[in-house]
Amino acid sequence: MDANLRREIILDHYQNPINKGLTSEENYLKANSNSESCIDNLDFMMKIEDGKIKDIRFDGEACAISTSATSIMIHTLLGRSIEEARSILENYKNMIQEKEYDEEKLGELIVYDEISKQPNRVHCALIPSIGIEKMLEQLK
């Protein structure tokens, strides 16, 4: 991916994150994902109806990578089935950790395909997947 396009997508999702702000509505799963080494500390809420992700919301303090990754992750997962979401999350984590992954499943999340070149940013990029996986685990 072109470096300028990558930067533009990340910056846009950082400055205009999707679904930032929590809700007082009932029937949402809740989780927190944070970092011990920086300011990243995000609360997540997810609503599932008929086996599909109807809504995901987040709020908290986080760096540009965590915020943009969360926004892009939400955009990618909305409307997906639980199985699709788990597959996307697995492929995303594999990409971040330089393991084999299916690029076609990731959409805009592919902007983080080189994040491993900055080891101090890897956890930042994983913050949303950790929070969302915690909520999906509550379904079992």
Side-chain angles (χ1 to χ4, degrees):
M1 173 178 283
D2 174 66
N4 288 330
L5 178 58
R6 179 188 318 272
R7 201 172 302 114
E8 183 180 315
I9 291 170
I10 290 171
L11 188 59
D12 183 49
H13 279 275
Y14 172 63
Q15 292 175 333
N16 306 293
I18 294 170
N19 288 359
K20 186 163 188 205
L22 303 178
T23 180
S24 59
E25 283 185 44
E26 299 293 320
N27 302 321
Y28 274 77
L29 301 169
K30 297 176 184 174
N32 176 273
S33 184
N34 60 49
S35 173
E36 295 177 7
S37 62
C38 67
I39 66 165
D40 296 341
N41 185 11
L42 294 177
D43 291 314
F44 292 89
M45 298 178 76
M46 181 167 56
K47 186 173 192 173
I48 297 175
E49 288 181 355
D50 301 320
K52 294 195 182 265
I53 297 174
K54 169 111 173 149
D55 191 23
I56 306 174
R57 310 208 56 85
F58 78 103
D59 207 358
E61 191 171 359
C63 69
I65 297 299
S66 291
T67 301
S68 61
T70 299
S71 179
I72 296 170
M73 182 70 71
I74 289 170
H75 176 74
T76 304
L77 295 179
L78 285 175
R80 303 285 185 140
S81 70
I82 302 307
E83 295 77 27
E84 289 173 311
R86 286 189 170 124
S87 178
I88 290 166
L89 290 164
E90 180 181 349
N91 278 279
Y92 178 72
K93 285 193 318 183
N94 285 346
M95 177 187 70
I96 299 297
Q97 296 169 346
E98 298 183 285
K99 296 177 183 174
E100 189 174 321
Y101 65 95
D102 183 351
E103 181 178 331
E104 291 182 18
K105 293 189 177 197
L106 297 179
E108 281 189 334
L109 288 167
I110 201 70
V111 300
Y112 300 104
D113 67 341
E114 295 182 2
I115 202 80
S116 62
K117 292 179 181 178
Q118 301 172 47
N120 60 328
R121 304 304 260 159
V122 167
H123 189 71
C124 302
L126 289 173
I127 291 279
S129 60
I130 293 167
I132 292 168
E133 284 179 334
K134 285 179 181 178
M135 291 184 291
L136 291 175
E137 285 297 314
Q138 294 173 35
L139 298 173
K140 291 184 176 182

